[in-house]
Amino acid sequence: MNLEAALEEIGKAPTLESLQGLKVQYLGKNGLLTQEMKTLGRLAPEERREKGRVLNEWKEALEKALEAREAWLREQALQERLLQESLDVSLPGYAFPSGGLHITSLILQELVGIFRKQGFSVVEGPEVESEFFNFDAINMPEWHPARDMQDTFWVTFDPGPGFTIRGPFGESVNSLGGAVLRTHTSGMQIRYMIQHTPPFRIVVPGRVFRYEQTDASHEAMFHQLEGLVVGPDITMADLKGAISELARGLFGEEGKARFQPTYFPFVEPGVQFAMWWPERQKWLELGGAGMVHPYLFKAVDDYREQQGLPRAYEGMTGWAFGMGVERLALLRYGIPDIRYFYQNRLSFLRQFRG
Ligand code: YSA
């Protein structure tokens, strides 16, 4: 075996794998040096000692050379990796997509914000509602057209374990008729009044459902904002003031409201209101309103009495309104079709994210 040649070969090994090969070739069980060691036994003692010393030196030299080359190859690999993986801070970064609020949420936030400034509380109610709160208690008896299958999603359910429509006190109201997907937020007027005593002012944002043939201005699921103010001396003038304030909040100083008489079973007198839309110079029909019908106060007090609570609404007056949230957005942003709202078409929705 030629030590010089072996050391040179090791010093030039190009990869860790080839280096391992050389290690085996020289120092392995059947390696060249090992072979030489095996011949020692056959030598005379004097010669054996001398050759043994030399072979040990060779072994040490080979081991050192292998170690040194291995360290060098590893360092080389590390440097190469560092070079490849180096961080270029001038490269453009990854864009992390961030979500935004839906157009309905944005307009609801704006509406609710305007009322909060006027001291209104914001409350929410159940979307699956009992027939009693959605209809009866607000003076829409059984024969009222809004209960027709064309308008209302009736929820037929097996009132088995775990499904009960509950009243404001957690009591089961299954006995108070069937269940519906609420057709408007007006049922919350009753729920709130049963649990609270006047004076108060609230707004109720929420999803409502109607069995509608959808078209450009009708959806089967949409949102309403309900308002209710009750106290000892509340008048129609307060209603007009609040809606006019809403008009100014939405459309600026030029904003104004118009009221036209109409009929809703739960108000007397009833109005529909429109707002002046300065950009388009036209009136927008937004919703219904009026003075709370005395029937509602009576229904609330009767219910309270049933629950062992004192009657609280005798001598009170109040006003209420209910408006379509998507309809307002349609007109305000010039959107041609209400069905765009809930089709999850990002190109449409991205135009409005806040
Ligand atoms: C009236 C008087 C009050 O004292 C309180 C509330 C009300 C409003 C009443 N509860 C109601 O729901 N009236 S409404 O049937 O005319 O609907 C109110 C608004 O909801 C409409 O003016 C319209 O803006 C919107 N709307 C109705 N059906 C819709 C709809 N929006 C989208 N799709 C539909 N299918």
Side-chain angles (χ1 to χ4, degrees):
M1 187 191 120
N2 181 337
L3 180 66
E4 297 272 299
L7 291 176
E8 199 182 323
E9 210 178 350
I10 289 170
K12 285 184 181 161
T15 62
L16 284 166
E17 291 74 38
S18 58
L19 191 66
Q20 181 61 25
L22 290 173
K23 190 172 178 178
V24 173
Q25 188 184 328
Y26 291 108
L27 301 176
K29 234 199 260 167
N30 298 313
L32 290 175
L33 191 74
T34 321
Q35 302 279 353
E36 297 253 7
M37 294 271 198
K38 281 182 187 161
T39 62
L40 288 176
R42 279 182 256 131
L43 297 177
E46 198 50 26
E47 239 183 306
R48 187 191 309 156
R49 199 173 310 123
E50 183 50 26
K51 185 129 192 226
R53 191 182 54 77
V54 170
L55 287 181
N56 266 330
E57 275 177 19
W58 283 18
K59 190 178 175 209
E60 249 173 64
L62 285 171
E63 282 173 350
K64 256 196 201 150
L66 284 163
E67 228 171 84
R69 186 64 185 170
E70 183 179 339
W72 189 86
L73 284 169
R74 285 196 189 282
E75 175 67 19
Q76 240 3 64
L78 178 68
Q79 291 304 331
E80 245 167 62
R81 242 183 81 190
L82 285 176
L83 215 64
Q84 274 171 13
E85 293 179 9
S86 66
L87 179 70
D88 182 350
V89 290
S90 66
L91 285 172
Y94 293 107
F96 289 100
S98 64
L101 289 178
H102 189 274
I103 175 173
T104 306
S105 304
L106 289 172
I107 201 134
L108 264 175
Q109 269 186 358
E110 191 181 345
L111 287 170
V112 161
I114 291 169
F115 282 100
R116 271 192 211 278
K117 276 192 220 150
Q118 297 177 54
F120 282 69
S121 309
V122 182
V123 295
E124 288 180 287
E127 291 172 2
V128 179
E129 184 56 287
S130 76
E131 188 179 350
F132 175 75
F133 290 115
N134 197 77
F135 294 131
D136 300 81
I138 60 169
N139 201 19
M140 290 171 82
E142 212 173 332
W143 44 261
H144 198 281
R147 291 170 163 235
D148 193 278
M149 281 304 287
Q150 297 309 307
D151 289 317
T152 304
F153 288 110
W154 290 87
V155 181
T156 48
F157 61 93
D158 169 11
F163 193 83
T164 321
I165 306 281
R166 297 194 178 279
F169 300 96
E171 72 282 21
S172 161
V173 294
N174 285 353
S175 58
L176 299 172
V180 299
L181 295 185
R182 66 177 174 190
T183 57
H184 52 187
T185 40
S186 299
M188 258 313 274
Q189 291 190 27
I190 303 296
R191 283 182 172 270
Y192 191 86
M193 284 196 278
I194 285 172
Q195 269 193 310
H196 300 84
T197 51
F200 57 74
R201 44 197 139 164
I202 57 165
V203 282
V204 188
R207 228 188 308 253
V208 302
F209 308 84
R210 290 188 192 178
Y211 188 81
E212 299 263 24
Q213 190 67 46
T214 63
D215 60 26
S217 59
H218 291 83
E219 254 295 2
M221 187 284 292
F222 59 101
H223 292 71
Q224 287 190 337
L225 183 75
E226 188 91 8
L228 176 67
V229 176
V230 180
D233 297 305
I234 302 295
T235 69
M236 191 89 181
D238 300 317
L239 167 63
K240 292 183 81 172
I243 300 286
S244 303
E245 195 54 39
L246 176 62
R248 277 192 291 277
L250 288 170
F251 299 107
E253 275 314 303
E254 276 184 83
K256 56 188 176 189
R258 178 182 77 177
F259 300 85
Q260 290 170 310
T262 191
Y263 170 76
F264 294 101
F266 31 95
V267 282
E268 182 57 44
V271 292
Q272 60 185 27
F273 62 92
M275 284 181 192
W276 181 246
W277 192 14
E279 281 117 16
R280 303 263 169 116
Q281 293 288 299
K282 67 178 193 185
W283 292 100
L284 315 178
E285 281 306 332
L286 282 185
M291 296 306 291
V292 178
H293 196 291
Y295 181 93
L296 274 66
F297 292 142
K298 184 179 172 304
V300 166
D301 268 343
D302 288 350
Y303 199 104
R304 283 175 62 89
E305 215 165 55
Q306 257 178 39
Q307 297 295 326
L309 294 171
R311 299 179 80 85
Y313 287 86
E314 272 152 27
M316 292 294 152
T317 53
W319 59 255
F321 74 86
M323 60 187 280
V325 175
E326 286 84 356
R327 287 271 180 87
L328 170 63
L330 277 187
L331 295 160
R332 186 139 187 239
Y333 299 117
I335 300 164
D337 196 314
I338 197 172
R339 288 167 295 194
Y340 292 171
F341 279 65
Y342 305 112
Q343 283 174 339
N344 284 338
R345 206 189 299 173
L346 289 179
S347 54
F348 168 73
L349 295 173
R350 284 201 174 115
Q351 299 174 77
F352 303 99
R353 71 180 154 186

